[in-house]
């Protein structure tokens, strides 16, 4: 006997047990605790905004006197604020300021100028006032680059170079303009950089490459031209955590210049939750601490910021208003006139709905980079940890772009093109490794890398060979010149050319400007060359007609012609017209009426059964109950009720079965109204042969004057309509095309149906 | 900066940096390094686009083009917390100033002051 909840006080009722079992309840939710920094937008511990300027020098910042400035205050006070506009910015009420950010009529330039004079506490308070639709409006207006874009993670558990190359080519083909790799084994880093460089060059022109590792090594790879940008230069919102991270604002400022001195693009990384995780939030809100980071990023001269939680995204997501805070971080970066690489790169929930809810507003608004790493590889291969969206979600993302008509930076690539690019990339990578004496990979390894959906498909690989190759790259001083030479020698001239062209383009330095990416013709799109001019409807970025077609043309889309061709594959030499249909006299005769395109353009039902198979089952059901059937096609209507009723009126028994080519079926009687019926299978995709047979048998029972237990639609909790409605529309169009108002009923041959 | 002739740090015009040149063994890393003039140009652009801090960074970068990789990394390390005494940082700043890197020198000198006050020195 089932134990009832009432008899066991600790056990929740079934409804609650059911809810508890949903995936969202695997997530951790924290009670707000300002003491621990577990508070999103505002904490009692946040300072009141203040700015005192004495003789052109900041002598008080957000309640702290100059003598007490910590390192972060000191750097921001000295370098981060435009003191000419600061008095006006600080005098403006928080609300008036917030309205400037959100209102489309206020130009971006005006906001950016004013924000340059706002202290961290001031800007945090202003951003905290923006509600979700206002955050979206502010992001659409304030992002620096007009054209939105996207970044991919490309990594795998084995650091397998051939797979990295194939996956980089794939990511580049999908449209990602930056590829970020990292390593499970630090020593492998140089090999990963080379493999991704080659693969991306195969996939598309102008893709920037990053190898996220320890800072000195990362800089070294950049100095050798193997990578072209960096973004994991971390900033923190408190001095203690900053110092624990083994840096200071001055060391980071210097590092920022060091990257630029080698012609490398870089952005810094910050985001909510980092200080909380280190138990170093000092009672401040996440948004305020991040505001310090963003102000510092601007002060040290970084062109952009990766934030929106990043590693701490799930910390922010655990508190009330957390997702709002994450988006506010991105908008704050844009308001400081910097490039935003907008997070979404850490799986922040076990729930598909929550992780979509986290990302969607940013996709709708558009960002310089919507993800600071969309996992272009499978979750298990993401060595940053799973991203919020991964290879599992690429088709979802492409559909989302299409659904909303927005440009998320990705596009559909035909399957044969993906195959060809992956092969080229794996082979080119093998050729370079062989030519440079780094490693030798087998044909089978290439084949596996081409076909692999992830590193688990590679089988056993020689991971020591990767370590060896990486060591040879590092110690042998391999540079981009060596890679180009090797590609060229191995016959990959186009790829060699692409890398050299990008190397030349980088020397101009245009891509060091805010929000810069290369387009596929190596044009630079940035704050300077492609400034965002959004000012409400009809302004700002709009996909070109060509780009919109690309967004719309997902590979799953089908039209009537596709369906006609598919139906034609099931055409059979059956159901020929044997003559005009007349009324029958036999009281045991049931007429099966079919729709106009049956036996012409429509041959297969939504269930996958062919129309002849369905007719055979219906006829068999009739015969089981001692009745006979014949098949009549009605050419004057597509309406199943009218077809069924017309069939009933021809039948000697007065009972008819109506069958549309898509498989919907009903039993009708000659004296009923067209829209009435005796039994109906409305969910055509789920009807089985047994159920059609039952419908035939029940029609016979009605013919004999009995009252059978009605056949019922099989139950389904799947999105049947989502799956079949487009096919239904096309099938009905095929049916409609055969309608002739004056068409009389036609008797169809039953030859071959039994 | 299409209106200007772009050269690499080595002085070679970028148009020369082709696969053919690589094939001929005529390209080395200094040919792929950015020239300080390009950085200075970008600094001017950044200034015109409401970001004087980015401009300053690019000008510091222009100065750093004259230093070798190892020295750049060594200076970075010296600026990390607890690595240098204030006197060491001050000497580093003087050395940079003396070698024509005044902006980098100023950054290091400022660090020396703040580190001493905030306990970030060795």
């Amino acid at each position: 006997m089932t134990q009832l909840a009432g008899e066991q006080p600790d056990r929740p009722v079934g409804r609650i047990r059911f809810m508890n079992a949903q995936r969202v309840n695997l997530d951790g939710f924290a009670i707000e605790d300002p003491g621990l920094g577990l508070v999103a937008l505002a904490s009692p511990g946040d300072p009141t905004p203040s700015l005192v300027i004495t003789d052109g020098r900041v002598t008080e910042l957000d309640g702290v006197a100059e003598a007490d400035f910590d390192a972060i205050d000191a750097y921001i006070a000295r370098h981060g604020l435009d003191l000419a506009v600061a008095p006006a910015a600080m005098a403006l009420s928080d609300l008036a300021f917030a309205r400037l950010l959100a209102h489309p009529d206020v130009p971006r330039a005006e906001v950016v100028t004013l924000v340059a004079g706002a202290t961290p506490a001031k800007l945090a308070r202003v951003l905290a006032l923006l509600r979700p639709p206002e955050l979206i409006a502010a992001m659409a207006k304030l992002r620096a680059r007009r054209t939105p874009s996207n970044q991919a993670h490309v990594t795998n558990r084995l650091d397998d170079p051939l797979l990295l190359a194939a996956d980089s080519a794939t990511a580049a083909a999908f449209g990602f303009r930056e590829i970020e790799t990292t390593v499970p084994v630090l020593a492998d880093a140089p090999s990963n950089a080379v493999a991704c460089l080659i693969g991306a060059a195969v996939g598309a022109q102008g893709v920037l490459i990053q190898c996220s590792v320890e800072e000195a090594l990362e800089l070294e790879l950049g100095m050798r031209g193997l990578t072209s940008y960096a973004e994991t230069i971390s900033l923190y919102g408190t001095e203690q955590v900053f110092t624990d991270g083994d840096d200071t604002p001055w060391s980071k400022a210097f590092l920022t210049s060091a990257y630029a001195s080698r012609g490398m693009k870089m952005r810094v990384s910050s985001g909510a939750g980092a200080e909380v995780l280190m138990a170093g939030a000092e009672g401040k809100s996440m948004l305020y601490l991040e505001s310090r980071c963003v102000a510092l990023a601007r002060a040290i001269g970084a062109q952009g910021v990766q934030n929106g939680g990043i590693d701490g995204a799930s910390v922010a997501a655990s508190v009330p208003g957390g997702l709002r805070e994450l988006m506010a971080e991105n908008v704050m970066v844009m308001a400081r006139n910097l490039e935003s690489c907008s997070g979404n790169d850490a799986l922040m929930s076990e729930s598909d709905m929550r992780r979509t809810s986290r990302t969607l507003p940013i996709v709708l608004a558009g960002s310089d980079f919507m993800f600071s790493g969309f996992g272009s590889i499978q979750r298990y291969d993401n060595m940053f940890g799973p991203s919020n969206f991964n290879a599992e979600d690429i088709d979802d993302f492409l559909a989302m772009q299409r659904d909303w008509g927005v440009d998320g930076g990705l596009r559909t690539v035909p399957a044969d093109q993906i195959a060809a690019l992956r092969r080229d990339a794996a082979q080119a990578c093998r050729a370079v490794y062989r030519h440079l004496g780094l490693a030798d990979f087998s044909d089978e390894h290439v084949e596996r890398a081409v076909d692999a959906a992830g590193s688990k498909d590679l089988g056993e690989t020689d991971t020591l060979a990767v370590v060896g190759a990486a060591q040879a790259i590092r110690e042998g001083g391999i540079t981009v010149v060596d890679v180009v030479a090797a590609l060229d020698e191995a016959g990959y001239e186009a790829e060699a050319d692409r890398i050299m062209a990008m190397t030349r383009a980088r020397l101009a330095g245009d891509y060091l400007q805010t929000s810069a990416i290369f387009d596929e013709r190596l044009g630079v799109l940035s704050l300077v060359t492609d400034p965002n001019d959004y000012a409400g409807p009809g302004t700002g970025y709009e996909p070109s007609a060509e780009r919109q077609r690309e967004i719309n043309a997902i590979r799953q889309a089908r039209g009537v012609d596709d369906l006609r061709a598919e139906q034609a594959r099931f055409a059979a030499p059956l159901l020929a017209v044997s003559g005009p249909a007349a009324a029958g006299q036999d009281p045991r005769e049931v007429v099966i009426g079919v729709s106009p395109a049956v036996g012409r353009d429509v041959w297969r039902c939504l269930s996958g059964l062919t129309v002849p198979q369905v007719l055979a089952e219906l006829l068999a059901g009739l015969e089981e109950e001692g009745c006979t059937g014949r098949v009549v096609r009605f050419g004057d209507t597509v309406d199943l009720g009218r077809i069924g009723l017309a069939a009933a009126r021809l039948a000697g028994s007065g009972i008819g079965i109506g069958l549309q080519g898509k498989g919907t079926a009903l039993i009708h009687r000659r004296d009923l109204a067209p829209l009435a019926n005796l039994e109906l299978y409305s969910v055509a995709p789920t009807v089985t042969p047994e159920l059609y047979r039952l419908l035939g048998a029940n029609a016979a029972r009605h013919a004999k004057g009995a009252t059978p237990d009605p056949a019922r639609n099989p139950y389904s909790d799947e999105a049947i309509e989502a799956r079949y409605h487009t096919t239904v529309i096309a099938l009905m169009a095929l049916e409609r095309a055969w309608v002739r108002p004056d068409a009389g009923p036609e008797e169809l041959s039953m030859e071959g149906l039994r | 900066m299409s209106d200007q002739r772009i050269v690499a740090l080595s002085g070679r015009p970028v148009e020369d940096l082709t696969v053919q040149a690589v094939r001929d063994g005529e390209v080395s890393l200094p040919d792929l390094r950015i020239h300080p003039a390009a950085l200075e140009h970008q600094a001017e652009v950044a200034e015109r686009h409401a970001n004087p801090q980015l401009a300053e960074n690019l000008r510091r970068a222009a100065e750093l083009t004259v230093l070798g990789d190892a020295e750049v990394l060594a200076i970075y390390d010296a600026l990390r917390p607890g690595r240098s005494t204030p006197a060491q940082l001050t000497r580093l700043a003087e050395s940079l100033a003396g070698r024509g890197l005044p902006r980098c020198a100023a950054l290091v000198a400022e660090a020396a002051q703040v580190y001493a006050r905030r306990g970030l020195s060795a």
Side-chain angles (χ1 to χ4, degrees):
Chain A
M1 198 180 124
T2 315
Q3 180 89 25
L4 297 177
E7 299 163 28
Q8 201 180 334
D10 291 346
R11 192 179 185 223
V13 294
R15 174 60 78 94
I16 298 297
R17 294 198 304 277
F18 176 74
M19 288 167 67
N20 284 348
Q22 304 303 316
R23 290 191 65 80
V24 68
N25 290 309
L26 295 169
D27 292 350
F29 294 93
I31 293 169
E32 256 185 358
D33 188 337
L36 296 176
L38 277 171
V39 57
L41 298 167
S43 164
D46 291 347
T48 303
S50 74
L51 185 69
V52 177
I53 303 169
T54 312
D55 301 330
R57 180 182 177 91
V58 176
T59 51
E60 181 189 309
L61 179 71
D62 292 337
V64 180
E66 187 180 13
D68 301 323
F69 282 173
D70 68 12
I72 299 170
D73 295 324
Y75 204 101
I76 294 169
R78 192 101 40 118
H79 304 285
L81 300 172
D82 181 343
L83 299 186
V85 300
M90 297 303 287
L92 199 59
S93 78
D94 296 342
L95 200 56
F97 211 144
R99 286 180 178 160
L100 296 182
L101 266 67
H103 205 294
D105 288 345
V106 180
R108 176 182 189 276
E110 192 177 311
V111 175
V112 159
T113 302
L114 204 58
V115 167
T119 64
K122 179 71 176 178
L123 193 55
R125 283 197 177 189
V126 169
L127 263 300
L129 290 172
L130 295 187
R131 293 165 297 185
E134 294 145 3
L135 283 170
I136 292 181
M139 183 174 277
K141 178 175 85 174
L142 292 176
R143 79 164 180 271
R145 189 192 329 112
R146 193 173 193 263
T147 310
S149 185
N150 218 329
Q151 182 199 107
H153 288 164
V154 177
T155 61
N156 65 61
R157 296 171 313 141
L158 307 172
D159 290 329
D160 185 80
L162 303 190
L163 185 59
L164 286 167
D167 285 340
S168 292
T170 305
F174 274 133
F176 292 105
R177 300 312 293 162
E178 285 187 352
I179 287 176
E180 180 184 26
T181 190
T182 193
V183 283
V185 177
L186 178 62
D188 291 344
S191 170
N192 282 31
V194 169
C196 290
L197 173 71
I198 295 166
V202 169
Q205 176 60 290
V207 177
L208 299 173
I209 304 293
Q210 178 199 178
C211 184
S212 170
V213 285
E214 174 271 319
E215 285 167 346
L217 178 56
E218 184 159 356
L219 186 54
E220 185 187 323
L221 295 171
M223 286 169 171
R224 295 194 197 181
L226 299 174
T227 55
S228 39
Y229 81 103
E231 77 174 355
T232 43
I233 294 84
S234 301
L235 303 185
Y236 300 98
T238 66
E239 186 182 63
Q240 184 59 54
V241 177
F242 213 116
T243 310
D244 291 345
D246 204 18
D247 267 300
T248 75
W250 286 264
S251 66
K252 290 297 193 192
F254 184 83
L255 192 60
T256 302
S257 302
Y259 278 109
S261 76
R262 267 58 185 172
M264 261 184 103
K265 173 178 175 172
M266 71 83 81
R267 68 177 71 92
V268 296
S269 177
S270 52
E275 299 84 0
V276 184
L277 286 168
M278 302 276 281
E282 299 172 5
K284 309 295 197 295
S285 69
M286 297 180 197
L287 188 59
Y288 167 67
L289 290 182
E290 184 56 21
S291 192
R292 301 226 311 159
C293 294
V294 176
L296 183 62
R298 172 70 190 265
I300 67 176
Q303 65 81 31
V305 179
Q306 161 187 236
N307 72 0
I310 314 302
D311 295 339
S314 54
V315 177
S318 75
V319 299
L323 299 190
R324 194 158 141 181
E325 193 279 338
L326 293 179
M327 188 164 181
E329 292 183 7
N330 303 144
V331 174
M332 180 182 273
V333 168
M334 297 168 175
R336 290 251 183 234
N337 202 20
L338 302 174
E339 172 190 68
S340 170
C341 197
S342 303
N344 291 307
D345 61 345
L347 189 60
M348 48 60 71
S349 174
E350 294 280 6
S351 149
D352 289 340
M353 289 183 76
R354 282 192 83 217
R355 66 190 179 89
T356 307
S357 142
R358 185 263 178 276
T359 296
L360 183 62
I362 290 160
V363 176
L364 298 182
S367 170
D368 291 319
F369 293 93
M370 302 192 184
F371 291 75
S372 36
F374 186 123
S376 74
I377 38 48
Q378 287 191 54
R379 282 187 185 189
Y380 74 74
D381 263 336
N382 198 326
M383 293 299 107
F384 293 100
S387 181
N388 206 38
F389 280 42
N390 300 281
E392 289 86 341
D393 310 307
I394 288 178
D395 278 334
D396 294 77
F397 188 80
L398 290 169
M400 278 167 61
Q401 283 191 142
R402 185 179 187 263
D403 291 340
W404 288 96
V406 297
D407 190 340
L410 302 199
R411 63 187 167 208
T412 294
V413 188
D416 54 348
Q417 196 180 330
I418 292 276
L421 289 172
R422 292 183 67 85
R423 183 169 304 280
D424 280 354
Q427 287 176 343
C429 186
R430 174 172 67 166
V432 168
Y433 276 54
R434 180 179 287 164
H435 187 83
L436 295 176
L438 304 175
D440 223 346
F441 298 107
S442 67
D443 289 346
E444 193 202 344
H445 194 153
V446 169
E447 289 308 314
R448 282 179 181 251
V450 170
D451 191 56
S455 63
K456 289 179 183 172
D457 302 331
L458 290 180
E460 283 290 307
T461 63
D462 183 358
T463 48
L464 265 183
V466 178
V467 178
Q471 200 175 358
I473 294 167
R474 194 165 191 195
E475 287 168 10
I478 300 287
T479 71
V480 68
V481 179
D482 301 305
V483 174
V484 167
L487 279 168
D488 179 49
E489 291 267 341
Y492 295 93
E493 285 172 45
E495 287 74 16
D497 255 336
R498 274 188 174 171
I499 295 177
M500 279 313 283
M502 179 139 151
T503 305
R504 284 194 298 272
R506 287 177 54 198
L507 289 174
D510 293 336
Y511 98 123
L512 301 176
Q513 295 295 341
T514 303
S515 302
I517 53 172
F518 287 107
D519 66 20
E520 293 187 63
R521 287 184 289 281
L522 276 186
V524 169
L525 301 179
S526 70
L527 169 75
V528 174
T529 62
D530 184 34
N532 185 12
D533 56 356
Y534 180 81
T539 65
Y541 177 78
E542 193 70 55
S544 66
E546 184 191 357
R547 174 65 183 134
Q548 192 65 56
R549 273 195 297 279
E550 208 171 60
I551 289 167
N552 295 347
I554 60 172
R555 70 182 194 288
Q556 302 89 340
R558 297 286 182 273
V560 174
D561 289 343
D562 298 309
L563 188 82
R564 191 194 307 275
E566 191 189 318
Q567 286 287 333
R569 291 198 294 121
F570 294 91
L574 297 172
L575 302 172
V577 177
S578 50
Q585 303 301 321
D586 179 353
R588 295 226 161 183
E589 179 205 65
V590 172
V591 170
I592 303 172
V594 296
S595 49
V598 164
R600 291 163 162 159
D601 281 339
V602 173
W603 290 94
R604 192 181 188 227
C605 305
L606 295 174
S607 61
L609 297 169
T610 64
V611 175
Q613 282 171 333
V614 170
L615 288 170
E617 292 295 340
L618 292 171
L619 289 167
L622 288 169
E623 283 172 16
E624 277 171 14
E625 289 294 321
C627 286
T628 60
R630 59 191 168 107
V631 180
V632 174
R633 181 166 64 208
F634 294 88
D636 59 343
T637 179
V638 298
D639 180 78
L640 184 61
R642 287 179 57 199
I643 291 169
L645 181 58
R649 286 177 177 164
L650 284 186
S653 66
I655 296 294
I657 294 174
L659 174 69
Q660 278 176 324
K662 65 191 174 76
T664 310
L666 52 67
I667 303 175
H668 225 302
R669 200 173 64 203
R670 70 159 63 110
D671 58 333
L672 296 177
L675 290 182
N677 61 62
L678 296 172
E679 297 182 20
L680 169 68
Y681 286 147
S682 57
V683 191
T686 60
V687 187
T688 61
E690 294 72 30
L691 287 167
Y692 281 118
R693 187 173 286 233
L694 175 62
L695 193 77
N698 276 0
R701 290 176 185 127
H702 284 294
K704 293 188 290 185
T707 308
D709 186 15
R712 290 168 208 282
N713 283 297
Y715 170 75
S716 169
D717 65 355
E718 294 175 338
I720 289 293
E721 294 185 348
R723 210 179 298 176
Y724 294 104
H725 261 173
T726 52
T727 312
V728 168
I729 291 163
L731 273 171
M732 292 308 283
L734 293 181
E735 296 278 9
R736 179 78 64 188
W738 281 103
V739 170
R740 306 284 180 274
D742 54 352
E746 297 168 300
E747 195 86 27
L748 299 188
S749 163
M750 294 198 291
E751 182 96 29
L753 294 184
R754 293 186 181 138
Chain B
M1 49 187 286
S2 51
D3 51 333
Q4 280 175 258
R5 189 172 168 81
I6 298 158
V7 297
L9 186 64
S10 62
R12 283 180 76 174
V14 291
E15 311 85 79
D16 288 3
L17 302 169
T18 60
V19 174
Q20 184 60 49
V22 171
R23 209 175 281 157
D24 298 342
E26 289 174 359
V27 181
S28 60
L29 213 47
D31 298 323
L32 306 184
R33 290 259 317 266
I34 196 163
H35 193 280
L39 289 164
E40 172 57 30
H41 169 77
Q42 297 301 339
E44 288 161 18
V45 173
E47 236 160 15
R48 284 201 300 275
H49 287 82
N51 197 334
Q53 291 85 357
L54 177 57
E56 175 67 16
N57 170 45
L58 293 166
R59 291 190 168 111
R60 278 196 303 264
E63 291 181 0
L64 287 177
T65 56
V66 304
L67 301 188
D69 295 349
E71 187 171 9
V72 169
L73 288 170
I75 298 170
Y76 168 56
D77 207 49
L79 283 168
R80 297 177 102 164
R83 303 297 204 285
S84 310
T85 63
Q88 283 169 328
L89 286 177
T90 303
R91 272 201 303 282
L92 175 59
E94 285 165 3
S95 150
L96 291 169
R99 293 156 66 193
L101 290 82
R103 292 168 192 274
C104 293
L107 186 80
V108 174
E110 190 180 289
Q113 280 179 11
V114 178
Y115 287 14
R117 186 170 62 77
R118 297 301 299 174
L120 297 170
S121 308

